[in-house]
Amino acid sequence: MHKQKKGKLKIQYIHGLGRAVRSFSSWAFEEGFLDENVMQRLKLPQLPKTFPEPLTEEEIQRILTVCLNDTKERLRNFAIIMLFFDTGIRLDELVNLKISKVDFTVGEMTVFGKGSKERKVPVGTQSKKALIEYITRERREAVNPQDNDQVFLSADGYPITHTSVEKVFQRVKQAAKVKKFHPHLARHTFSVRYLVNGGDAFSLQKILGHTSLEMTRKYVNLASGDVKEQHRRFSPMDNLSFRATKRGRPRMKP
């Protein structure tokens, strides 16, 4: 049941309600509560094919600076955001990350993605350093012994929650004065910058845990646009002081 809403509804909201109603109808039919799957032919509105713009390098630097300047659990929050930007992991994967699943020697961590699928994700030198500093200098012992293997804990010694991480992002967003900043946008930003910096789509697919290349191709398209913009700014010939004085075809001597 949903409360009545006034005004226009977002197409994404309507699409979500439609999916829920159709799934419920299928369940009721399969369980024998309905003689017919009445919502089987329900057509869902087509969602616009939009993709969030990744954060710029300047925005990323402002965000990281804000984290380090903060006085409240700054090493933890800095390590969290570094991991998001450096690995593209999901919020759920970060919240449930275990110390025993991080190989600091190799620079790799094992996460459990959608469908409880396990995969290995490489971690860069700077992110690994941030993680070690948090664990050795700021992280306190867990209140409950069974939580000792959790990487990220609250100041009270309890495992962090999805909500607490989202609140960190909101606080950083306001302090850094960026329009949008949330864990999934950090995942988008990692993906695009990984490709722009020379990574390939197949390795990105493995890092992100995508089952197909369909989603990864969208990042490739975004990265291509970023490359074009970079070329406009840093084109070797456009930035060369040389200017041709004659552009016509040279005449052949008789």
Side-chain angles (χ1 to χ4, degrees):
M1 300 295 293
H2 286 265
K3 293 181 180 179
Q4 184 176 359
K5 291 181 176 288
K6 295 182 180 180
K8 295 182 179 180
L9 300 177
K10 289 185 178 181
I11 194 71
Q12 292 85 352
Y13 181 81
I14 298 172
H15 191 275
L17 286 181
R19 286 204 324 270
V21 170
R22 198 162 62 181
S23 297
F24 178 75
S25 177
S26 298
W27 173 84
F29 173 68
E30 292 171 0
E31 294 294 324
F33 294 104
L34 293 176
D35 295 329
E36 180 185 358
N37 188 351
V38 293
M39 292 295 176
Q40 186 176 15
R41 296 180 181 179
L42 177 65
K43 291 185 178 180
L44 300 178
Q46 188 172 1
L47 292 174
K49 295 181 179 180
T50 58
F51 217 53
E53 285 292 325
L55 294 165
T56 65
E57 184 175 328
E58 192 269 338
E59 288 174 327
I60 294 173
Q61 290 178 351
R62 289 212 313 264
I63 287 168
L64 296 177
T65 301
V66 163
C67 289
L68 286 177
N69 289 342
D70 199 357
T71 57
K72 185 179 179 182
E73 298 169 301
R74 69 187 192 95
L75 294 181
R76 186 201 67 178
N77 297 341
F78 181 71
I80 286 175
I81 292 176
M82 282 288 285
L83 279 182
F84 273 119
F85 279 143
D86 193 44
T87 66
I89 58 175
R90 300 180 178 93
L91 175 57
D92 189 62
E93 295 167 351
L94 179 127
V95 168
N96 295 304
L97 186 62
K98 303 291 190 294
I99 295 177
S100 59
K101 293 296 183 178
V102 181
D103 190 329
F104 291 98
T105 303
V106 176
E108 187 178 70
M109 61 186 182
T110 302
V111 299
F112 293 91
K114 290 184 177 180
S116 298
K117 291 182 179 179
E118 185 179 277
R119 75 178 189 280
K120 295 186 181 298
V121 178
V123 181
T125 303
Q126 295 301 320
S127 297
K128 186 173 66 174
K129 180 181 178 182
L131 195 56
I132 292 173
E133 286 188 348
Y134 159 65
I135 293 174
T136 57
R137 294 174 54 188
E138 189 179 83
R139 182 183 179 274
R140 60 164 294 173
E141 287 293 319
V143 173
N144 300 314
Q146 65 266 27
D147 295 328
N148 279 333
D149 200 28
Q150 291 288 132
V151 172
F152 295 108
L153 301 174
S154 68
D156 299 325
Y158 293 97
I160 60 168
T161 63
H162 296 69
T163 303
S164 61
V165 175
E166 288 168 347
K167 285 182 178 179
V168 169
F169 271 73
Q170 287 298 316
R171 192 168 70 247
V172 170
K173 182 187 79 170
Q174 293 176 358
K177 297 181 180 179
V178 293
K179 292 181 179 179
K180 293 182 179 180
F181 187 47
H182 49 80
H184 210 64
L185 181 58
R187 181 173 166 88
H188 286 306
T189 301
F190 157 76
S191 304
V192 174
R193 296 197 66 80
Y194 179 83
L195 293 170
V196 169
N197 289 330
D200 64 276
F202 293 102
S203 61
L204 177 62
Q205 179 188 356
K206 290 183 178 180
I207 293 172
L208 295 177
H210 289 161
T211 54
S212 70
L213 272 174
E214 181 181 355
M215 189 66 177
T216 313
R217 286 195 189 99
K218 296 180 180 180
Y219 292 123
V220 173
N221 293 335
L222 272 179
S224 299
D226 198 291
V227 168
K228 290 176 185 176
E229 179 60 30
Q230 291 291 87
H231 184 270
R232 290 192 189 98
R233 293 176 59 195
F234 305 115
S235 167
M237 291 299 98
D238 289 351
N239 286 281
L240 197 66
S241 59
F242 173 79
R243 291 291 181 269
T245 55
K246 295 181 180 180
R247 294 180 180 272
R249 271 182 83 181
R251 294 182 179 180
M252 298 293 292
K253 292 182 179 180

